Amino acid sequence: MGRKVTVATCALNQWALDFEGNLQRILKSIEIAKNRGARYRLGPELEICGYGCWDHYYESDTLLHSFQVLAALLESPVTQDIICDVGMPVMHRNVRYNCRVIFLNRKILLIRPKMALANEGNYRELRWFTPWSRSRHTEEYLLPRMIQDLTKQETAPFGDAVLATWDTCIGSEICEELWTPHSPHIDMGLDGVEIITNASGSHHVLRKANTRVDLVTMATSKNGGIYLLANQKGCDGDRLYYDGCAMIAMNGSVFAQGSQFSLDDVEVLTATLDLEDVRSYRAEISSRNLAASRASPYPRVKVDFALSCHEDLLAPVSEPIEWKYHSPEEEISLGPACWLWDFLRRSQQGGFLLPLSGGVDSAATACLVYSMCCQVCKSVRSGNQEVLADVRTIVNQISYTPQDPRDLCGHILTTCYMASKNSSQETCTRARELAQQIGSHHISLNIDPAVKAVTGIFSLVTGKSPLFAAHGGSSRENLALQNVQARIRMVLAYLFAQLSLWSRGIRGGLLVLGSANVDESLLGYLTKYDCSSADINPIGGISKTDLRAFVQFCIERFQLTALQSIVSAPATAELEPLADGQVSQTDEEDMGMTYAELSVYGKLRKVAKMGPYSMFCKLLGMWRHVCTPRQVADKVKWFFTKHSMNRHKMTTLTPAYHAENYSPEDNRFDLRPFLYNTSWPWQFRCIENQVLQLERAEPQSLDGVD
């Protein structure tokens, strides 16, 4: 009897409600898995309908169409002689569950509902699904008639069970269950399950790839066994980018690693592993075996099928590999670039329009589009026909083949420098030079006539002419005049996005790209409905510190020397009059804090879940060598005052790529009121009392801090 098994897992770029496309990608992955000799294929979570259906899960159509796709899969000759494990929503006794449906040769073996639902951060699974809470228990599920006609089964087992083939035992856990304190794989492994599968819908967050890998390797290191992880990959219709990283591990080592970012819609990993390696590894861990002897058994669904072949002595087995991680700068250059590509091709637009100011943020956004062009050219060179077809559709040229990223960038990116009398020559030059180096179609224009016209209307109606502070105006006048310039840029950006291709005799429109970073959004250091208002924002979840490092990375990786002067210049909005031709306004002065401090506030507020008082207490320790308690108190109060005053701006933030867990994105991630008592009287009094107490107690020890 054989003992070597070939198993397959995959990362698929599924799209919410794209049942046709999702079916084709599933079939393609099964076909590749079979061609490589696999006899079991695992796919991502809810792959049939796409993970990000959100409130569409409430619709009976979503359930109906998922079963129709399942019927097409059961009927297809591609799915014969391989155990297929697919994900879809299933309603059982009027309750909706997030399920795995496992089938073989037109028979449904098991429907396994998810038992621990993801419900924090970007996840809201408890809104649409109920967790299955009956551990090691199954019921009979009455199959829809269209499935009965194909499988000749009236019912199928539904619940928490495992599959027993002739040669091994397979158990399923779904995404979040791997992250829970007591994961199902523990008890399954103790009950003799040798292959654990995990179908995930896990999204990218900077510097987090190792968490998934560590959980999987630790699971198989403590308990032995083979572990398969499948994940969605790409943008399936919203702010998240699912970052693949499919993997196959055994006994604490990784045997196959999938890519984290790529433009391939279907990626299949296979490995051939020896079940005896699992058995001998487990047999010598006496503490595990003691626990196993007391384990409660799982219901087993018997499967007349083997994952191994009779004569497999000469079959080569897979070798362990070292997991390769991307640096944060590489993650930024690849994740948002792939997300932009999915957005562009799926929205069927002709490219992007980016207001390019000559500053770090818009330059970083331009670099992301250039990085996307590099990825597209690389994919086309490696023979990816789907990417080539998408490029030709976008540029509307049936014989176009992108060779050079600069050439492709010229077709799909229009950059626009919008000067005013408050703009310096330096930023204009920086924007133009960067546009030349990445190859974008570049426009320079002057907004002064429009600004004059708008302020002229106000003066005509009121008989008053507002002035900048530099010319004797009040702070209210100063701010209003800055905002008019900023908002006119947004109006012009949309006008050029709609008509600049038309003016060049090219079909289609452009998506407007925003470039406000996560720190500015958090503080509200932006004008509502200015150029931060766009169709999508690839850097809205990335901090200023990370963006600077990314721009530095682009200088070396892409030889974009024009970025040198951009990264070394102080950040400025250029909305106030110049002083002797020089910039008189800098972001950090305007904000009253540094970008580095802002990142710290952001992480403590959201990730560490701190209000003003807790943050003050935490920062007392963190900043004890650089600030007095009074200075810490002033900084914290200033941050919370500004953040709460500007919280209303978060409600209109442009949809941004989610990359940081301290994002203030108001749509689904960071849910808070937007009308605050911005003086925080109770909270700030608690801080004040604490400061006075510290100042009375330790006057000497505070003298040494400047």
Side-chain angles (χ1 to χ4, degrees):
M1 188 64 192
R3 59 187 202 178
K4 291 175 187 168
V5 294
T6 301
V7 286
T9 182
C10 59
L12 302 183
N13 193 338
Q14 301 298 69
W15 188 11
L17 302 178
D18 178 25
F19 292 97
E20 182 59 47
N22 293 348
L23 168 62
Q24 296 312 321
R25 285 181 285 270
I26 293 168
L27 283 170
K28 185 177 174 183
S29 69
I30 295 169
E31 192 170 11
I32 294 169
K34 258 175 77 171
N35 289 341
R36 293 189 193 162
R39 291 167 72 84
Y40 177 95
R41 173 268 182 204
L42 172 74
E45 186 173 14
L46 294 164
E47 60 187 312
I48 283 180
C49 53
Y51 183 79
C53 293
W54 310 142
D55 279 3
H56 290 292
Y57 287 122
Y58 289 135
E59 297 163 11
S60 59
D61 282 17
T62 306
L63 297 163
L64 168 71
H65 299 325
S66 295
F67 267 113
Q68 289 168 334
V69 171
L70 179 65
L73 287 167
L74 285 162
E75 221 172 351
S76 168
V78 171
T79 63
Q80 295 302 294
D81 301 321
I82 180 169
I83 296 177
C84 297
D85 185 334
V86 298
M88 59 182 268
V90 176
M91 189 177 271
H92 175 51
R93 297 181 184 171
N94 303 121
V95 179
R96 205 172 20 255
Y97 296 97
N98 170 350
C99 295
R100 303 307 298 169
V101 178
I102 308 172
F103 63 90
L104 169 70
N105 294 338
R106 291 196 179 198
K107 289 275 184 282
I108 292 177
L109 305 173
L110 172 67
I111 301 174
R112 199 302 202 163
K114 192 172 182 178
M115 299 173 73
L117 298 181
N119 212 56
E120 68 289 322
N122 284 299
Y123 295 104
R124 291 280 179 281
E125 288 181 16
L126 281 168
R127 183 178 168 98
W128 310 294
F129 300 112
T130 302
W132 179 255
S133 52
R134 309 182 72 179
S135 175
R136 299 176 180 78
H137 175 86
T138 62
E139 295 171 0
E140 288 303 306
Y141 174 77
L142 183 66
L143 293 165
R145 273 175 299 186
M146 65 170 133
I147 303 295
Q148 288 187 24
D149 293 345
L150 285 170
T151 65
K152 308 295 182 250
Q153 300 164 281
E154 264 186 33
T155 63
F158 184 102
D160 184 25
V162 299
L163 302 181
T165 62
W166 292 336
D167 50 357
T168 187
C169 193
I170 305 163
S172 205
E173 64 182 9
I174 306 172
C175 197
E176 177 74 7
E177 293 169 0
L178 169 63
W179 306 73
T180 56
H182 193 93
S183 299
H185 69 250
I186 299 169
D187 291 331
M188 286 181 194
L190 293 174
D191 189 34
V193 173
E194 294 176 325
I195 299 172
I196 306 278
T197 65
N198 185 316
S200 279
S202 189
H203 66 76
H204 176 231
V205 174
L206 281 172
R207 303 174 178 85
K208 282 281 188 295
N210 63 306
T211 316
R212 243 172 294 168
V213 181
D214 293 347
L215 282 167
V216 169
T217 50
M218 188 51 68
T220 59
S221 152
K222 285 165 75 169
N223 209 351
I226 293 167
Y227 201 107
L228 276 66
L229 185 131
N231 194 17
Q232 173 136 326
K233 184 165 64 171
C235 162
D236 81 339
D238 74 348
R239 296 161 172 81
L240 307 179
Y241 179 83
Y242 297 90
D243 60 336
C245 291
M247 69 180 104
I248 301 174
M250 178 174 73
N251 300 347
S253 299
V254 174
F255 284 78
Q257 171 182 357
S259 64
Q260 189 176 9
F261 313 104
S262 92
L263 303 187
D264 297 334
D265 284 348
V266 176
E267 181 184 15
V268 179
L269 299 186
T270 52
T272 302
L273 301 165
D274 193 335
L275 292 170
E276 286 304 316
D277 289 341
V278 173
R279 292 160 190 166
S280 57
Y281 182 90
R282 284 179 169 177
E284 69 172 341
I285 309 173
S286 57
S287 56
R288 181 214 160 267
N289 298 339
L290 195 61
S293 67
R294 295 195 290 260
S296 307
Y298 275 79
R300 276 163 157 71
V301 175
K302 289 193 167 58
V303 185
D304 290 333
F305 188 71
L307 296 195
S308 55
C309 308
H310 272 298
E311 301 302 324
D312 63 4
L313 276 174
L314 298 175
V317 290
S318 306
E319 295 294 328
I321 58 167
E322 197 67 44
W323 191 279
K324 292 185 178 67
Y325 293 102
H326 291 291
S327 69
E329 293 77 22
E330 285 174 328
E331 287 188 67
I332 294 169
S333 81
L334 295 168
C338 294
W339 182 77
L340 282 173
W341 174 246
D342 279 345
F343 226 100
L344 179 59
R345 68 196 180 110
R346 288 175 168 170
S347 65
Q348 298 182 313
Q349 296 302 298
F352 299 113
L353 180 123
L354 171 66
L356 194 60
S357 69
V360 165
D361 294 342
S362 61
T365 307
C367 291
L368 286 175
V369 178
Y370 183 72
S371 174
M372 181 198 86
C373 292
C374 293
Q375 291 302 304
V376 169
C377 291
K378 188 174 147 192
S379 265
V380 169
R381 277 197 300 275
S382 68
N384 188 321
Q385 291 305 306
E386 287 96 340
V387 170
L388 181 59
D390 284 334
V391 172
R392 288 173 172 173
T393 304
I394 291 162
V395 303
N396 198 33
Q397 292 179 25
I398 50 167
S399 58
Y400 176 69
T401 302
Q403 305 289 344
D404 171 50
R406 291 184 75 252
D407 176 59
L408 178 58
C409 205
H411 280 83
I412 60 177
L413 177 62
T414 298
T415 48
C416 183
Y417 181 80
M418 300 190 231
S420 76
K421 59 187 177 193
N422 301 324
S423 308
S424 63
Q425 192 48 52
E426 286 81 7
T427 50
C428 178
T429 307
R430 284 179 209 135
R432 188 182 64 249
E433 285 176 355
L434 178 60
Q436 280 169 353
Q437 288 187 4
I438 62 173
S440 66
H441 177 80
H442 189 60
I443 300 164
S444 273
L445 55 87
N446 191 298
I447 65 169
D448 287 335
V451 174
K452 198 173 171 189
V454 171
T455 51
I457 293 169
F458 180 82
S459 300
L460 199 65
V461 172
T462 63
K464 298 270 192 183
S465 294
L467 297 171
F468 280 108
H471 303 150
S474 65
S475 61
R476 272 197 293 180
E477 294 166 68
N478 197 51
L479 194 56
L481 288 173
Q482 291 185 61
N483 287 346
V484 168
Q485 297 166 73
R487 290 187 174 120
I488 278 171
R489 288 191 170 116
M490 185 272 289
V491 172
L492 285 167
Y494 272 94
L495 176 63
F496 276 84
Q498 285 180 295
L499 292 180
S500 69
L501 290 184
W502 166 80
S503 72
R504 290 151 60 193
I506 303 167
R507 271 178 48 192
L510 302 172
L511 288 166
V512 180
L513 294 181
S515 53
N517 63 59
V518 73
D519 300 322
E520 290 169 344
S521 302
L522 173 69
L523 195 67
Y525 182 64
L526 47 92
T527 299
K528 207 175 188 178
Y529 307 117
D530 69 349
C531 279
S532 64
S533 294
D535 293 316
I536 49 173
N537 177 358
I539 67 161
I542 304 171
S543 72
K544 189 77 164 188
T545 315
D546 281 340
L547 286 172
R548 283 189 169 283
F550 165 63
V551 169
Q552 200 61 54
F553 164 87
C554 292
I555 295 172
E556 291 141 36
R557 176 63 56 97
F558 303 127
Q559 281 82 54
L560 299 174
T561 51
L563 293 168
Q564 212 96 49
S565 58
I566 293 173
V567 85
S568 56
T572 171
E574 290 200 328
L575 293 170
E576 291 190 49
L578 303 171
D580 302 324
Q582 296 303 305
V583 170
S584 61
Q585 173 187 32
T586 68
D587 289 358
E588 293 191 335
E589 269 175 54
D590 270 3
M591 295 190 303
M593 62 192 75
T594 65
Y595 278 110
E597 287 171 343
L598 198 40
S599 270
V600 173
Y601 302 143
K603 285 173 182 144
L604 293 181
R605 180 197 73 97
K606 176 69 183 164
V607 184
K609 299 159 191 70
M610 290 182 176
Y613 182 72
S614 315
M615 191 183 290
F616 164 73
C617 296
K618 183 75 168 177
L619 289 174
L620 269 182
M622 281 173 68
W623 290 349
R624 64 187 179 281
H625 299 305
V626 285
C627 295
T628 63
R630 169 70 57 202
Q631 288 166 329
V632 173
D634 290 346
K635 284 172 183 284
V636 169
K637 288 179 190 173
W638 179 243
F639 166 70
F640 273 97
T641 302
K642 295 290 282 185
H643 168 69
S644 56
M645 275 168 63
N646 287 323
R647 179 67 200 179
H648 64 97
K649 296 181 184 179
M650 309 306 99
T651 62
T652 62
L653 281 181
T654 294
Y657 179 96
H658 180 89
E660 277 290 3
N661 276 336
Y662 69 89
S663 161
E665 184 265 300
D666 175 82
N667 174 271
R668 193 173 66 241
F669 186 69
D670 187 37
L671 306 180
R672 298 170 198 251
F674 54 90
L675 177 63
Y676 280 92
N677 180 344
T678 59
S679 60
W680 301 82
W682 188 280
Q683 295 90 330
F684 285 3
R685 192 161 60 245
C686 289
I687 293 176
E688 192 55 35
N689 292 341
Q690 199 62 57
V691 171
L692 292 170
Q693 220 174 312
L694 287 165
E695 285 177 341
R696 278 198 300 270
E698 298 183 60
Q700 310 83 8
S701 63
L702 299 176
D703 291 344
V705 180
D706 293 329

